[in-house]
Amino acid sequence: MRSPYAGQPFTTSTDDIAAALQDVSVPTLLLSLVHITGDPRFIREFKPVGIFLNEVQGFMSEEEKQRARAAALPVITAYRDRGCPEPTPLSRSLIKEMMDWAACETVPDEYLPLLFEELDFDGADPRRPEALDPQTTAELPVVVIGCGESGILAGIRLRQANIPFTIVEKNGGPGGTWWENSYPGARVDVANHFYCYSFEPSNDWTHYFAEQPELQAYFSRVLDKHGLSEHVLWHTEVLAAEWDDDDGMWRLVLRSQNGRTTTVQARAVITAVGQLNRPNIPEFEGAGTFAGPSFHSAAWDHSVQLSGKHVALIGAGASGFQIAPAIADDVARLIIFQRTAQWMFPNAMYHERVGDGVRWAMNHLPFYGRWYRFLVMWPGADKGLDAARVDPDYPNQDYAVSELNAAARLMFTDWITNQVGDDRELLAKVLPDYPATGKRTLQDNGSWLRTLRRDNVELVRTPIQRITPRGVVTEDGVTYAADVIVYATGFRHTEVLWPMTITGRDGIDLRSMWGQRPYAYLGITVPGFPNFFMLYGPGAHLAHGGSLIFNSELQMRYINSCLARIAEQNLHSLEPTAEAASAWHLRTQQEITKMVWSHPAVKHSYFKNADGEIHTVSPWRLSEYWAAVREPKWSHFVARRKG
Ligand code: NAP
């Protein structure tokens, strides 16, 4: 069968192909030509220079790009005229050469299994679980909590494995974050052709970093395609889950839209609730007295007209940073209260539309989409981690934690100062005072500083003292009048699984056990909580790059293996040993303290708990995490047989 990634046959006219070639990513085009012809000269005769870093056209001169397009046109038209036959598979060594060429560096061997799996040229979906004998799984009902990206994935994989399941979702539709965050300007900040399931790529994204409606539609489409709707209880929230060790069952208390509570039981539970889901609204004195509407960014009140209003935007992390440019035009006045300035990564493509020619290439040129995925994944994968790691010998630790980190600081500083020009007052407000990448770095195409320089926009860095019926008062006594307050103040990230009550063996309450220090073996399982699995659990947040969807796919494969063991060996329960879990937590903690996120100059960060420790973030390279969760080590588990 033709690989789904070999492209749909086409009869496009030569002129239209030539037009499409003006749009496409030239490196990706050249890689596709190698597939079409089997001839490596297309990469050997065209050498991009430097690193790509979102520069999908490659650092080729315009002449070199035109030479590549001219070489491509006859190859593609001849391929069309032959009826677009499926290309002969390339050797592994040639594909490795292509990876090195595209990455502009030697891709280390440790990444190869991960990359071949992720790129999946033959369309076999190597992370798909084995279909289990329905007789062995009939007694293994699973409840998945949440129907966002990871819950949908869980549903797909459970269905493929013949495991009965129900997804419980508090919202009225799928997408999680992408259902809830409908604020103006909401868009993903991971390149979209990577931020989608490896086995459900979209060739038709309209933006390189899609906006929320398109992402939500993507997740709805995937849900429908995989026939999951009938498995979902919408508008239903899980309040509590309790393990009964006598019969090896989880009992979950659900609350439906009408407030009624019911109990369901399951042999296993998978939480898929994300870590950035429950809004955090700080308790500012007097907030309740505010006379106008106020709401959190993740619960945008679309009935409130902002046009002509004075709007106070409290918080400017990733959400506020997107909201301000999107509403500044409309409002009479926008006052942005930002506690900590943010580092930004210059990305010219951040708001760019995907050209028609690129979409044509994605749909028709063999493996174009796969290579484009690689091209955006590679620089976004672990490069950020290198710049985040502390070199204890680096002399000026107040400024940067390593030479690479200093280079990032210099690049980001240039990006900011070049935009601000000689406005010293603004520069002092927007230039961060902590090392680069100390918080999650934002993607920026210049829209943030352009917004701040508008006459109707003011950035306030003085701390908020209180809120009055008419506006916001800062600690210097200044009152900022406001008709509307928007809280873009983030989420209760460190309170993993809040507000659910999860009770394990011997009546132990999970969140009390964790306190401020949530942990899980590989970010997935916890001792004392049998048959309990987390997608995107503690220690699995990505601060440095990568994509949570990629992580979810790895975690779900691992969970499928555990469930298969429970089913096939007719187990009562499976849980990690306390030793394995604490060893993993300790190793993770040792790594985290060597990362810039732990730097004392980063005073406020949603990663840090009240003691300044970080327990929710992964310090691991994608390749390390891939290897760690490739398959369960059964010696790290306690398996109890039934009876
Ligand atoms: P966030 O990054 O945690 O930002 C919250 C903002 O509120 C920060 O400016 C924070 O200041 C401020 N704040 C919080 N508590 C405060 C207090 N007590 N007083 C004053 N200011 C306070 O939250 P977010 O912007 O919603 O983004 C969270 C994460 O969601 C992102 O890092 C990203 O992972 C994800 N996200 C992604 C996208 C995307 O893909 N494009 C968009 C939105 C969100 P401090 O910085 O001083 O703490």
Side-chain angles (χ1 to χ4, degrees), residues 183 187 189 315-319 322 339-340 439 488-491 604 606:
Y183 61 76
R187 67 169 74 228
D189 61 6
S319 302
Q322 293 182 330
R339 186 168 60 181
T340 310
K439 290 157 77 87
T489 41
F491 300 90
H604 300 287
Y606 72 78

Side-chain angles (χ1 to χ4, degrees), residues 177-178 181 183 185-190 195 276 280-284 296-297 314-322 337-342 350 434 439-442 463-464 487-491 536 541-542 548 603-607:
T177 283
W178 300 113
N181 284 265
Y183 61 76
R187 67 169 74 228
V188 66
D189 61 6
V190 175
Y195 187 81
L276 296 161
N280 162 52
I281 299 190
E283 290 177 6
F284 294 115
H296 188 269
S297 54
I314 301 182
S319 302
F321 190 78
Q322 293 182 330
F337 297 87
Q338 189 185 43
R339 186 168 60 181
T340 310
Q342 294 270 6
Y350 189 34
Y434 55 91
K439 290 157 77 87
R440 196 167 181 277
T441 309
L442 306 178
I464 294 171
Y487 291 97
T489 41
F491 300 90
Y536 190 6
H541 184 55
L542 293 172
L548 289 170
K603 296 199 183 61
H604 300 287
S605 148
Y606 72 78
F607 306 155

Side-chain angles (χ1 to χ4, degrees), residues 138-220:
E139 305 278 298
L140 184 58
V142 174
V143 165
V144 178
I145 308 175
C147 195
E149 68 82 10
S150 59
I152 293 170
L153 174 76
I156 294 170
R157 295 315 198 190
L158 292 172
R159 193 160 188 255
Q160 289 168 341
N162 288 327
I163 296 173
F165 66 95
T166 303
I167 303 176
V168 183
E169 168 57 58
K170 68 181 173 4
N171 293 324
T177 283
W178 300 113
W179 174 271
E180 293 178 18
N181 284 265
S182 64
Y183 61 76
R187 67 169 74 228
V188 66
D189 61 6
V190 175
N192 231 151
H193 293 90
F194 175 42
Y195 187 81
C196 51
Y197 303 112
S198 62
F199 56 94
E200 286 294 354
S202 168
N203 292 332
D204 298 310
W205 294 116
T206 62
H207 286 82
Y208 289 102
F209 294 83
E211 293 174 299
Q212 175 265 340
E214 191 169 2
L215 286 155
Q216 200 280 319
Y218 167 81
F219 288 110
S220 282

Side-chain angles (χ1 to χ4, degrees), residues 84-159:
C84 305
E86 180 167 10
T88 309
L90 302 177
S91 68
R92 207 175 155 90
S93 64
L94 179 52
I95 291 185
K96 168 68 166 75
E97 184 183 341
M98 293 160 81
M99 283 179 187
D100 292 349
W101 179 86
C104 294
E105 64 178 322
T106 302
V107 172
D109 285 350
E110 65 171 302
Y111 283 92
L112 295 183
L114 171 167
L115 288 171
F116 275 97
E117 182 185 289
E118 177 75 11
L119 296 179
D120 180 26
F121 288 100
D122 57 9
D125 187 7
R127 295 182 193 137
R128 185 186 169 112
E130 194 188 328
L132 303 172
D133 177 352
Q135 283 195 331
T136 67
T137 58
E139 305 278 298
L140 184 58
V142 174
V143 165
V144 178
I145 308 175
C147 195
E149 68 82 10
S150 59
I152 293 170
L153 174 76
I156 294 170
R157 295 315 198 190
L158 292 172
R159 193 160 188 255

Side-chain angles (χ1 to χ4, degrees), residues 129 157-158 161 163 556-565:
R157 295 315 198 190
L158 292 172
I163 296 173
M556 194 55 211
R557 168 167 62 189
Y558 186 93
I559 294 170
N560 272 107
S561 299
C562 293
L563 293 173
R565 189 155 178 111

